[in-house]
Amino acid sequence: MKPRPLPVQRGDIVVRGSRHGIVVSVLDGMALIVPLEREALPRHRADVPCRKIPCAPGQVTNLAARCADRFWTSARTGADRTGAAPDALMQHIDRAIMRENAARKTEELRPGVVPSTLGRGPRWWDCGRKVGGAPSD
């Protein structure tokens, strides 16, 4: 009889099929996993660079945790642990997930709710602030 694998914990680097990921949280037998992919351009706003992870799959460097592509899966079956992520990296991943959630909530609001960062909003035929010289009409 094959022994049952232990459930994964927060910070474990797991392999499911051909996908590698980091377990962010475990809740009611389900694990939230952030996939690890090779860092490439263009980067997403929620990517966290993982330069060197101990016991990373194949000791690959220049990985990125794709916090926008996180997914839930069973914490008890089908995941092989290959290592553990450091606490500092887990804090960066948590902050990236919170920033991504806040950005998505802001994007779902109707237009006009969030004030413009320009302070006055864009105007037709405006070429920017005129520095020096006489004011124009």
Side-chain angles (χ1 to χ4, degrees), residues 58-135:
Q59 296 297 328
V60 177
T61 58
N62 293 335
L63 294 174
R66 296 271 179 177
C67 297
D69 298 336
R70 59 195 180 273
F71 59 93
W72 288 93
T73 186
S74 174
R76 291 185 177 85
T77 60
D80 296 327
R81 283 183 279 191
T82 61
D87 290 334
L89 177 62
M90 294 305 297
Q91 291 173 359
H92 286 297
I93 290 174
D94 289 340
R95 278 186 251 133
I97 290 173
M98 286 190 293
R99 279 194 315 265
E100 178 67 15
N101 288 341
R104 286 184 181 185
K105 285 182 184 177
T106 302
E107 290 168 355
E108 291 173 0
L109 296 174
R110 64 179 176 78
V113 172
V114 179
S116 173
T117 58
L118 298 173
R120 58 172 176 75
R123 295 186 182 161
W124 292 105
W125 302 288
D126 189 6
C127 297
R129 184 172 155 258
K130 188 174 183 180
V131 179

